[in-house]
Amino acid sequence: MNIIHRRGWEIPESALTPEHFFFNRRSLIVGAGAIALTASAASAQRASDVPDPTADLYPAKRNAKYQLDRPITDEKVNGNYNNFYEFNSSKNVTAQAEKLPIRPWTVTIDGMVEKPQTIDIDTLVRKMGVEERHYRHRCVEAWSMAIAWGGFPMAKLVELAQPLSSAKYVEMKTLQDPKNMPGQKQTWFPWPYTEGLTIAEATNELAFLATGAYGKPIAKVHGAPLRLAVPWKYGFKHIKSIVRFTFTDKRPMSYWEHLQKSEYGFWANVNPQVPHPRWSQATEEVIGTGNRVPTQLFNGYGEYVADLYKGLESERLWA
Ligand code: MTE
């Protein structure tokens, strides 16, 4: 294994972007930029201007059980350093993401459930209710942020679905919309973006479906209108702009696992002692602060989640 032990600022940006193993980053960015300049972008912009019908639910009451050890990352800093490959593979995706129409938006719950359904996002959010939670976020690329999410525990969605006892996993999928998500025109990627959790993970009290951030409806760049936040796992598990939850007895194959199985697995729990094959995970750059701090096991959430992995020690739990 080619393990690189270097301090963060010595890691070239190319080594921090998980995509660089097989495509030319620059040509993708240029291609996506050209697409954004077409006339269809102007109409997409108009379609995206619909006011959020759930805006009155924010800011929501904070659930103070979940405390941070650092200040919340400035909203502008967070909104200008993102990963959202459906738009492009740079960290600058906000302008393109802003053009995505997010109403109407439906969420389908299907597979091994008692209550298969397709539900309008605004109905779902009002049914589930909204609370605020402050969570750390640790990307596999060795950077971190802290975010004030709004949303609801994923356990509530599982309850709505009523999975059959034979269901073991929940697979999630992002919207497939190449017209408005130009990165999806790169057909060699395994679109739509897919992620999965065990049902035990999905019903853990920390697993959260974010519909808001920073005291208002979640910005498109962060995955509006519905995005996963599982703070003990690396950021690539935090799937954005979700349209489908499928309950299944088969372990889902996620987007990154599909692309590079040797580097990105199903579990992806944060562990500073297990390096990524190409860089150390011992520390993280806290974006917006200029600081590097030690990374914590399970990103500091071990008291909530460590028990989930007892008996699974033979699995590749950490990447
Ligand atoms: N979800 C989708 N659909 N597409 C993506 O490219 N990137 C993931 C995750 N969810 C991604 C995604 C990665 S690698 C990270 S670190 C986080 O989103 C980044 O979320 P943020 O941009 O809101 O910080």
Side-chain angles (χ1 to χ4, degrees), residues 189-216:
F189 284 94
W191 308 115
Y193 200 100
T194 301
E195 261 307 337
L197 296 172
T198 63
I199 291 184
E201 290 176 324
T203 52
N204 180 273
E205 66 174 88
L206 282 182
F208 198 61
L209 287 166
T211 56
Y214 295 98
K216 53 190 183 232

Side-chain angles (χ1 to χ4, degrees), residues 82-86 137 139 174 193 222 227 235 238 240:
N82 303 96
N83 282 331
F84 208 158
Y85 284 78
E86 283 82 346
H137 176 86
C139 179
T174 293
Y193 200 100
H222 296 309
R227 172 241 173 87
H238 301 218
K240 296 178 172 183

Side-chain angles (χ1 to χ4, degrees), residues 84-110:
F84 208 158
Y85 284 78
E86 283 82 346
F87 296 100
N88 69 66
S89 62
S90 80
K91 290 283 181 282
N92 302 315
V93 289
T94 307
Q96 283 187 322
E98 272 308 311
K99 294 179 183 137
L100 180 70
I102 56 166
R103 294 293 188 288
W105 189 281
T106 56
V107 175
T108 297
I109 298 172
D110 63 5

